[in-house]
Structures are given as C-alpha cells and as structure tokens.
Amino acid sequence: MFAWSNLYRKFGPDWDRLSGELAQQRLRSWGFNTIGNWSHEPTYLMRKTPYTVNIGAGGYIGCVLVPRLLASGHRVIAVDRYFFGQDLLPTSPDLQKVRLDTRSLPAELLRGVDAVIDLAALSNDPMGDAFTEETWAINHRARARTARLAREAGVPRYVIPSSCSIYG
C-alpha cells in the first residue's frame, strides 16, 4: 500500500498537477493498478503482479511461503539447491524454479523484481559446527552479496526472515 504523500515524495512536485485520467495513465505506466476515487486520495494502489525472488525456496519455510506468494498473486522465482527435491513446491505458470547455490547468484536474476526474500541458510548447530566455513559463506557472505546485488538492481525490498536462532 502506498500513501498519497509517499507518491508525492517518490515522484516529485509534478505529482500534484496530475489528476483524473492523467494520474491513472501515469500510474499504469509505472506498473500500478489504479483503484479508488480520483477526486480524493485513492483507497489503495498496488502492483499489477508482484514479482518476488525467494532464495531458499525449497527449505523448511520456503516450501510453505512460495505457495502463499503464488496464492496472493505473486510471480515467483524460487531459487534453491533443492537438496530435498522440488516436490513440495507447486507447479504454476507463475513459478520459475532455479537450481542454484546462493553463493553464485547472478545479478541478472534480480533485475526488475519487487522483492527478494532470502531464506537460504545452514540452520542448525550441528551443521554450523561441522561446516564452519560453509556456514559463514552462505549465512553471511552470500546474504551480504545478495543484499548488495538487490540494491544495485533497484529492488525495493530485501527481506531476511529470521528466528531467535541465528547461525553463522
């Protein structure tokens, strides 16, 4: 959701000159669906089809999150090494499955997306103790690199869900 004042801040002083159909045309050209009464502040504005990259999509949380994103209208690029297979992810025309290690994520994968949700991690004490360097490489360095690539690609949201247990 966007507040009217956020649109003004984002798109500059010419925003208050826009009204009626002109405003709707401009918003559609920026990739928004326009909803609301244009004589007043719109009820809400939302992306036509949110485009999300979910890194770690085949894991414990990712295999639950991806179907929810699809159900709420997102197009999803599901990135994972898929150690446990892809069976828990649905088949959908809005889902692109990419078998890839997060440490070698290409910048091109992040261009034009609305959000990156980074779930990839080695996530327990025995794994962290047994594979110290890999845990640091995936849980820290790969995430820092992915966040930097997302920022450079202009991705507006980078999300790192976490629990009270943080490894690496």
Side-chain angles (χ1 to χ4, degrees), residues 82-111:
Y82 297 107
F83 284 126
F84 306 107
Q86 300 178 20
D87 300 344
L88 295 175
L89 293 179
T91 302
S92 169
D94 291 326
L95 176 62
Q96 177 186 355
K97 297 174 188 174
V98 177
R99 180 178 227 117
L100 184 70
D101 189 311
T102 186
R103 294 172 286 185
S104 59
L105 188 76
E108 303 81 49
L109 197 63
L110 304 179
R111 290 201 181 103

Side-chain angles (χ1 to χ4, degrees), residues 29-102:
S29 75
W30 289 329
F32 289 94
N33 253 341
T34 56
I35 300 171
N37 179 346
W38 284 95
S39 61
H40 305 297
E41 182 172 329
T43 308
Y44 62 92
L45 304 169
M46 55 187 279
R47 294 284 283 173
K48 288 180 183 175
T49 304
Y51 201 27
T52 304
V53 173
N54 187 340
I55 302 168
Y60 185 71
I61 297 171
C63 65
V64 174
L65 180 61
V66 168
R68 288 181 177 222
L69 289 169
L70 292 168
S72 66
H74 288 250
R75 292 182 313 172
V76 178
I77 299 174
V79 178
D80 203 298
R81 290 187 67 184
Y82 297 107
F83 284 126
F84 306 107
Q86 300 178 20
D87 300 344
L88 295 175
L89 293 179
T91 302
S92 169
D94 291 326
L95 176 62
Q96 177 186 355
K97 297 174 188 174
V98 177
R99 180 178 227 117
L100 184 70
D101 189 311
T102 186

Side-chain angles (χ1 to χ4, degrees), residues 55-56 61 101-105 110 116-123 135-151 158-163 165-168:
I55 302 168
I61 297 171
D101 189 311
T102 186
R103 294 172 286 185
S104 59
L105 188 76
L110 304 179
V116 172
I117 302 171
D118 194 345
L119 297 166
L122 295 179
S123 60
T135 300
W136 184 252
I138 293 168
N139 294 13
H140 172 68
R141 287 195 302 262
R143 281 192 164 159
R145 179 180 173 272
T146 301
R148 188 179 85 273
L149 291 174
R151 183 184 64 223
Y158 179 79
V159 180
I160 302 177
S162 183
S163 68
S165 300
I166 299 175
Y167 303 93

